[in-house]
Amino acid sequence: STEYLYKHCMFLSLCNKLKTCYVFIFMLISPVIRMSLLVVFLCVGWFASAQESDIQIPDSLKTSSFEELKEQFYVYEAKDLRVAEMYAQAMLSLAKINKNPSQTHKAEHYNARVSTALGKKQIALAFIEKAFNHSRKENDSAYILKNIFLKGKIYDDFGEYTKAIEFYLQASNLVKNNLDQTKFHVISQNIARVKNQINDVRNAIEISRRNLDYFLSQDNREFDIMNCYLLLVSAYCKLAIERQHKPTLKKTYIDSSFYFMKIAHKEAVAYDDSEALTMLAVSEGINYCERNEFERALNILETTEKRATELKLHREFPLIYLFQGKSYYGLQQYEKAITFLQKAIAASKAIEIDFPYLQETFIILAKSYKAVGDIDNAITHYELFYKKKEQNELLNAENNKSLYEEYDIPSFQEQIRELQDKSDHIDTKYKYAKYFAFLLAVALLVIVFLYRKRQQQYKQRFKKLLVHINTLEQQTVAPRKAARTPKDTNKKQLRIPDEKIKEILKNLEKFEEKELFLNNNCSLNFVAKKVQTNSTYFSAILQQHKKKKFVQYITDLRIEYVLKRLKNDGVFRSYDIKSIAYEVGFNTAESFSKAFRKSTGIYPSFFIKNLDKLTNTSKN
């Protein structure tokens, strides 16, 4: 049944991914097909959405008890959240079938819990609201506390820290006077973590140190102890960053961060806590960056980035990328600094949580862009820095002062003003360039239009040419009529006997039948000898009977031959133009293409390409 659950979850995940493909598919198909398939897509989308919010419970779970389902929920919560969600839904379904209010609010709690872990904020909030109301009706004090705490965690996970603290404080007040103070300190540690996140760092440290003293006095609280250590390492690291303008104090805070880091690292290794080791490594890299040991910081952060990727610790990426960028900035490798700072901004947007160091990221980016000569981006990111400074109420005056001193912002502000003045002047020049670009675009459109029009003309000529080839092939099959002796006065001027003319014309027919015109050395004298006359007589007879000069006569024969052979010989069509030209008597590809174009109105390459298309279509 576990294998079935896993496959079922994979199917639901596929349905969910398919929904994101609909827009892309609609862009590829024609409007008529798009409209005709609209109803189908809507139905499939609705089905996938319905599956996401109301999972089909497999028959194999319907015979399990509530406690058995809950036990399996705990197992899969740590292994596979999609399967855990299945068990949570099964619990809720069973509770409703049994009409058991106590089971119902517990099942709603577990659904809220797994929905949070899966990133489904609105679904999680809906479940926790129901769970809280139902647990109050049942007067289940244990789950009332769990639901208030979980609601705080939901807001915490999605970056709504003010609401998170509100519910954490409610949960804290419920257990404040309990004899068992463990719950109080667990909740208190979450409050400390949120305070650290919103830069109320001193309070975070004070609360966390009290919690650490308590957990160290208890048995089997390794997880809570590690949380305290991680917070203290991070908090002292933050204080060091804020005290850039006070080197002595900054060093003290970095030393404090390293002190707790050393203890925490030993504990994390002992319990093989990969996540804790990765988070400690992030802080270690930051500390070395703040010590201006940039190469060492980069080595640590590069390794940490790979570990964070493997463990899917997405919240760590903004910090990792920022301090990689900051280290490259310190090494004056501005292009690399820009790359990682942009990644830090993108990573903070991806997790949809306000990144407390965005203001610093913007100012480093602005200075890096200025260093590489990208004036527009320098101005843009300075404006983002200034806008963030005005909006960000979480940054205290101490931190602002630190930023202004570390990055010499007053001086940089003056440089930005000068750059803006230059940029305005350049904009005026580029205005005319834009007009020119517009005219160029119009010209390109005209060229494209004319090109397409010419292609249409070529296609029409191609069709007419096919008809002409068919006519030529029929003439080849039909018996030739005997040449008639001309009755006009030109015969007297030629002074060639009628019998001689007939003989020459008959020999000329044999010349054409043997395809001797394909000879590369097919000159006037060469052909005259073949028809057993001299060049003067032959030239005169050609003009009289073929209405052509010699060169035109030979060229037309060759073009007619190549048209028929290209149409019927697929192998011949596969030759390159140069080989085809030589095969039919031309010495160069250019002379062949020019003659073909003059005779047919299209180029040989276009003719061959369309013949291939026509042949493939016929085969299909």
Side-chain angles (χ1 to χ4, degrees):
S1 62
T2 304
E3 184 181 0
Y4 172 79
L5 287 176
Y6 181 78
K7 288 180 179 178
H8 192 75
C9 289
M10 292 304 101
F11 168 73
L12 296 181
S13 177
L14 177 62
C15 289
N16 193 35
K17 289 176 181 177
L18 283 173
K19 291 189 294 180
T20 63
C21 295
Y22 293 156
V23 174
F24 178 72
I25 293 169
F26 276 141
M27 290 173 68
L28 293 179
I29 60 180
S30 67
V32 176
I33 299 174
R34 195 180 308 167
M35 291 302 294
S36 64
L37 293 178
L38 181 59
V39 175
V40 177
F41 279 122
L42 287 174
C43 291
V44 175
W46 173 85
F47 174 75
S49 299
Q51 287 284 352
E52 186 176 28
S53 59
D54 188 14
I55 295 171
Q56 192 84 19
I57 308 300
D59 293 336
S60 59
L61 298 187
K62 293 180 181 178
T63 57
S64 302
S65 68
F66 189 85
E67 290 302 319
E68 287 172 340
L69 293 171
K70 185 167 74 171
E71 183 179 341
Q72 288 300 307
F73 170 83
Y74 285 130
V75 171
Y76 283 101
E77 189 180 28
K79 290 168 58 179
D80 192 327
L81 288 170
R82 298 293 295 180
V83 179
E85 185 181 32
M86 185 81 71
Y87 279 102
Q89 285 281 337
M91 278 190 273
L92 185 58
S93 177
L94 180 61
K96 289 179 178 179
I97 291 170
N98 295 339
K99 297 182 180 179
N100 188 323
S102 176
Q103 291 179 352
T104 299
H105 76 73
K106 290 174 184 176
E108 288 166 342
H109 172 86
Y110 292 121
N111 274 282
R113 191 156 132 179
V114 73
S115 295
T116 305
L118 287 168
K120 302 176 182 180
K121 177 185 174 184
Q122 297 305 324
I123 294 174
L125 287 173
F127 272 124
I128 200 62
E129 196 65 35
K130 290 179 182 178
F132 177 68
N133 292 332
H134 291 154
S135 61
R136 281 206 309 177
K137 285 182 182 178
E138 290 297 304
N139 199 24
D140 189 336
S141 58
Y143 271 86
I144 290 173
L145 174 62
K146 286 182 178 181
N147 290 329
I148 293 173
F149 177 77
L150 181 55
K151 195 167 186 179
K153 187 177 184 305
I154 293 169
Y155 285 119
D156 184 0
D157 286 349
F158 291 98
E160 298 185 40
Y161 299 121
T162 303
K163 289 182 178 179
I165 284 186
E166 176 189 338
F167 288 102
Y168 282 152
L169 287 174
Q170 285 183 32
S172 177
N173 290 331
L174 287 177
V175 297
K176 192 172 185 179
N177 298 319
N178 286 5
L179 293 175
D180 182 5
Q181 285 291 287
T182 301
K183 290 179 181 177
F184 170 79
H185 286 284
V186 169
I187 297 167
S188 177
Q189 186 58 27
N190 278 275
I191 293 171
R193 187 171 48 77
V194 175
K195 284 181 175 290
N196 183 52
Q197 188 67 30
I198 63 175
N199 277 11
D200 187 1
V201 184
R202 293 186 181 279
N203 271 328
I205 290 173
E206 184 181 343
I207 296 168
S208 195
R209 296 198 74 152
R210 284 201 305 266
N211 293 333
L212 178 62
D213 291 339
Y214 173 80
F215 291 130
L216 287 171
S217 67
Q218 305 297 308
D219 294 328
N220 302 319
R221 304 307 303 182
E222 290 81 11
F223 177 79
D224 297 304
I225 291 169
M226 181 56 68
N227 280 340
C228 292
Y229 282 137
L230 288 172
L231 188 142
L232 289 168
V233 169
S234 171
Y236 278 116
C237 186
K238 279 190 173 184
L239 285 177
I241 294 169
E242 290 179 5
R243 299 303 184 275
Q244 300 288 348
H245 57 294
K246 296 180 180 179
T248 304
L249 196 55
K250 177 181 178 179
K251 182 181 180 302
T252 302
Y253 288 135
I254 290 177
D255 290 343
S256 297
S257 180
F258 272 123
Y259 169 77
F260 286 108
M261 188 185 297
K262 186 177 180 181
I263 301 171
H265 189 273
K266 186 177 179 181
E267 294 292 320
V269 170
Y271 292 101
D272 194 23
D273 191 338
S274 300
E275 287 192 15
L277 287 169
T278 304
M279 293 166 74
L280 288 169
V282 174
S283 295
E284 184 182 12
I286 293 171
N287 282 338
Y288 282 118
C289 178
E290 292 302 312
R291 277 186 173 182
N292 296 334
E293 297 181 37
F294 301 123
E295 294 284 1
R296 191 170 183 179
L298 285 169
N299 289 333
I300 294 168
L301 291 170
E302 184 178 350
T303 305
T304 307
E305 181 188 352
K306 295 176 183 176
R307 284 159 54 184
T309 302
E310 292 169 1
L311 296 170
K312 298 180 180 179
L313 299 178
H314 303 297
R315 289 195 176 203
E316 301 301 317
F317 290 131
L319 275 175
I320 292 171
Y321 293 140
L322 167 59
F323 283 91
Q324 281 177 297
K326 195 171 178 180
S327 296
Y328 280 118
Y329 177 80
L331 294 169
Q332 298 183 1
Q333 296 182 30
Y334 300 114
E335 293 285 0
K336 288 185 177 180
I338 289 168
T339 299
F340 282 100
L341 293 168
Q342 289 289 12
K343 287 172 76 173
I345 294 171
S348 67
K349 288 179 181 177
I351 60 175
E352 297 180 354
I353 295 175
D354 190 27
F355 183 41
Y357 296 109
L358 268 181
Q359 190 174 336
E360 183 174 11
T361 307
F362 288 143
I363 193 63
I364 304 173
L365 262 174
K367 300 197 83 169
S368 297
Y369 275 121
K370 180 181 178 295
V372 299
D374 190 340
I375 306 306
D376 290 339
N377 268 316
I379 294 170
T380 298
H381 286 87
Y382 174 77
E383 289 172 350
L384 287 170
F385 157 77
Y386 202 82
K387 185 178 179 181
K388 192 68 181 173
K389 172 184 171 293
E390 293 178 337
Q391 291 177 346
N392 198 351
E393 298 175 358
L394 300 178
L395 280 176
N396 53 38
E398 192 75 35
N399 195 23
N400 273 323
K401 185 177 180 182
S402 173
L403 281 176
Y404 266 72
E405 290 193 10
E406 182 181 5
Y407 297 107
D408 191 16
I409 288 173
S411 172
F412 186 65
Q413 189 173 23
E414 190 60 35
Q415 294 173 32
I416 288 293
R417 285 174 185 163
E418 291 176 5
L419 291 174
Q420 283 175 324
D421 291 340
K422 290 180 181 178
S423 180
D424 292 340
H425 180 66
I426 292 170
D427 284 344
T428 304
K429 290 183 178 180
Y430 280 126
K431 189 185 294 183
Y432 296 104
K434 287 178 182 177
Y435 292 144
F436 175 75
F438 173 75
L439 292 173
L440 183 62
V442 172
L444 287 172
L445 287 173
V446 171
I447 290 170
V448 169
F449 171 76
L450 292 175
Y451 171 78
R452 289 186 176 179
K453 185 177 179 181
R454 188 178 66 177
Q455 291 296 101
Q456 289 298 324
Q457 290 175 344
Y458 280 2
K459 287 178 181 179
Q460 292 298 322
R461 290 172 186 173
F462 173 77
K463 291 176 181 178
K464 291 179 181 179
L465 199 52
L466 289 179
V467 175
H468 175 63
I469 294 170
N470 289 333
T471 305
L472 289 174
E473 289 174 337
Q474 289 171 6
Q475 287 175 352
T476 303
V477 173
R480 295 178 179 273
K481 294 181 179 180
R484 296 191 318 179
T485 305
K487 295 181 180 180
D488 54 26
T489 56
N490 289 328
K491 183 181 74 168
K492 295 178 182 179
Q493 295 176 3
L494 293 173
R495 295 181 181 178
I496 304 173
D498 290 345
E499 291 302 320
K500 185 62 177 177
I501 293 174
K502 287 181 181 181
E503 181 185 349
I504 291 170
L505 290 174
K506 189 175 181 180
N507 289 336
L508 191 59
E509 283 183 12
K510 291 178 181 179
F511 170 82
E512 292 177 8
E513 287 171 3
K514 292 179 180 180
E515 298 175 348
L516 297 176
F517 53 82
L518 299 179
N519 192 309
N520 295 83
N521 299 315
C522 188
S523 63
L524 180 62
N525 288 331
F526 172 82
V527 180
K529 286 180 181 180
K530 292 294 179 183
V531 297
Q532 298 177 8
T533 188
N534 59 57
S535 58
T536 304
Y537 276 16
F538 178 62
S539 180
I541 291 171
L542 269 182
Q543 291 190 51
Q544 178 65 30
H545 290 271
K546 299 292 185 180
K547 306 300 182 186
K548 297 176 184 178
K549 292 184 178 180
F550 173 76
V551 173
Q552 186 62 47
Y553 168 70
I554 295 298
T555 300
D556 287 349
L557 286 174
R558 288 172 175 176
I559 295 301
E560 287 177 5
Y561 170 84
V562 81
L563 286 172
K564 289 185 285 185
R565 188 169 173 189
L566 284 172
K567 176 177 175 290
N568 299 303
D569 189 345
V571 176
F572 188 57
R573 284 201 301 274
S574 66
Y575 292 0
D576 59 27
I577 299 298
K578 184 177 180 181
S579 299
I580 293 172
Y582 190 78
E583 186 82 8
V584 297
F586 291 93
N587 291 320
T588 65
E590 290 77 11
S591 61
F592 168 63
S593 294
K594 185 177 179 181
F596 193 97
R597 171 82 164 81
K598 184 178 180 181
S599 177
T600 64
I602 60 177
Y603 288 100
S605 55
F606 182 88
F607 180 68
I608 293 168
K609 181 180 177 182
N610 281 271
L611 274 177
D612 285 335
K613 284 183 181 178
L614 195 63
T615 304
N616 292 333
T617 303
S618 299
K619 287 180 180 179
N620 291 334

